[in-house]
Amino acid sequence: DVKVTQSSRYLVKRTGEKVFLECVQDMDHENMFWYRQDPGLGLRLIYFSYDVKMKEKGDIPEGYSVSREKKERFSLILESASTNQTSMYLCASSFWIRGAKNEQFFGPGTRLTVL
Amino acid sequence: ELKVEQNPLFLSMQEGKNYTIYCNYSTTSDRLYWYRQDPGKSLESLFVLLSNGAVKQEGRLMASLDTKARLSTLHITAAVHDLSATYFCAVDVYNNNDMRFGAGTRLTVKP
């Protein structure tokens, strides 16, 4: 079974703090993704990575950065947390096969509250 | 830009009834996915639809894809309470590395 784990299920931070969300997958997947999920908005892609040290902006990258130093780990960084970043954050990974990407496997999510 | 629309966003149905959730998307895509999310939980993959006319079934759920109409449907047959969840469709962005999700359909099945 594919396993995608996230470092925290619940996190409470204060405005202006630097926040690190960690994601680890154990299936040697090339692609990793960070989404945020808000009621009525579905999942919105923040950043994704298709290889170590590679990253691409998604739809809503402002206020976030990412790091992928190892294939299995993809970190989301909030440089200076703000209250509008209170959300559920979901990490996902997927693999390439015959040049096409496949379904994404999701972690359990981190519910972040910024006070 | 690829847009994905799901209808309806909220669905309340009686046990034993049938219903269909629709997923429309705006541009050419390689493939389409359906996911289920239970409250407080993450997303679980249900179906991967790879080509025009693809149909997949698992229990009381059946998904189909019409790439010409840019439409996928998720049909629920004889609903049971255990199917209560939020269902998302997601569409691959053609020639790109990511995908776009619909807003989700929150299904409640009442006894």
Side-chain angles (χ1 to χ4, degrees):
Chain A
D1 272 356
V2 175
K3 195 162 183 183
V4 181
T5 57
Q6 294 182 228
S7 50
S8 306
R9 292 299 305 274
Y10 300 94
L11 209 52
V12 179
K13 295 291 182 181
R14 296 204 174 274
T15 301
E17 280 192 80
K18 191 168 186 175
V19 183
F20 293 88
L21 302 182
E22 300 281 334
C23 175
V24 177
Q25 49 94 4
D26 66 356
M27 284 302 290
D28 203 35
H29 284 175
E30 293 85 358
N31 306 316
M32 296 188 76
F33 306 82
W34 275 107
Y35 295 90
R36 64 177 282 176
Q37 183 178 19
D38 300 287
L41 297 178
L43 275 73
R44 292 182 292 166
L45 181 65
I46 304 171
Y47 269 97
F48 66 97
S49 168
Y50 52 90
D51 201 352
V52 175
K53 296 192 185 296
M54 306 302 289
K55 60 185 179 185
E56 294 279 348
K57 292 180 180 179
D59 294 329
I60 50 165
E62 297 79 17
Y64 303 94
S65 62
V66 290
S67 171
R68 193 162 179 207
E69 297 296 319
K70 294 184 178 181
K71 192 174 185 180
E72 68 271 18
R73 188 181 297 269
F74 191 35
S75 302
L76 180 70
I77 303 153
L78 287 66
E79 295 288 341
S80 177
S82 63
T83 55
N84 63 11
Q85 292 178 310
T86 293
S87 186
M88 170 71 88
Y89 290 88
L90 292 168
C91 174
S93 71
S94 71
F95 60 94
W96 289 93
I97 184 167
R98 291 191 290 273
K101 57 190 183 293
N102 283 269
E103 65 192 293
Q104 294 182 13
F105 295 88
F106 284 82
T110 296
R111 186 166 292 282
L112 172 67
T113 302
V114 183
L115 301 176
Chain B
E1 183 187 335
L2 174 61
K3 293 192 185 302
V4 181
E5 290 188 356
Q6 273 183 249
N7 289 289
L9 297 183
F10 298 93
L11 177 55
S12 179
M13 52 192 299
Q14 297 288 125
E15 276 192 331
K17 298 290 188 183
N18 303 333
Y19 209 84
T20 300
I21 299 171
Y22 298 88
C23 176
N24 291 90
Y25 55 99
S26 59
T27 63
T28 303
S29 174
D30 293 326
R31 55 188 67 191
L32 188 138
Y33 310 84
W34 283 97
Y35 289 88
R36 169 183 170 141
Q37 185 179 36
D38 291 298
K41 303 267 180 85
S42 192
L43 277 74
E44 171 192 353
S45 178
L46 290 174
F47 300 110
V48 181
L49 301 170
L50 302 179
S51 60
N52 187 41
V55 177
K56 290 202 173 176
Q57 183 161 6
E58 178 80 30
R60 299 172 188 275
L61 300 177
M62 184 173 72
S64 65
L65 178 61
D66 180 344
T67 58
K68 293 180 182 176
R70 297 176 182 166
L71 170 69
S72 178
T73 59
L74 180 66
H75 187 73
I76 303 153
T77 302
V80 293
H81 179 69
D82 284 353
L83 290 179
S84 296
T86 300
Y87 294 86
F88 291 92
C89 65
V91 181
D92 268 355
V93 179
Y94 184 71
N95 210 28
N96 203 337
N97 286 308
D98 60 350
M99 67 169 70
R100 291 291 182 274
F101 282 78
T105 297
R106 184 180 293 182
L107 171 66
T108 303
V109 181
K110 299 180 177 179

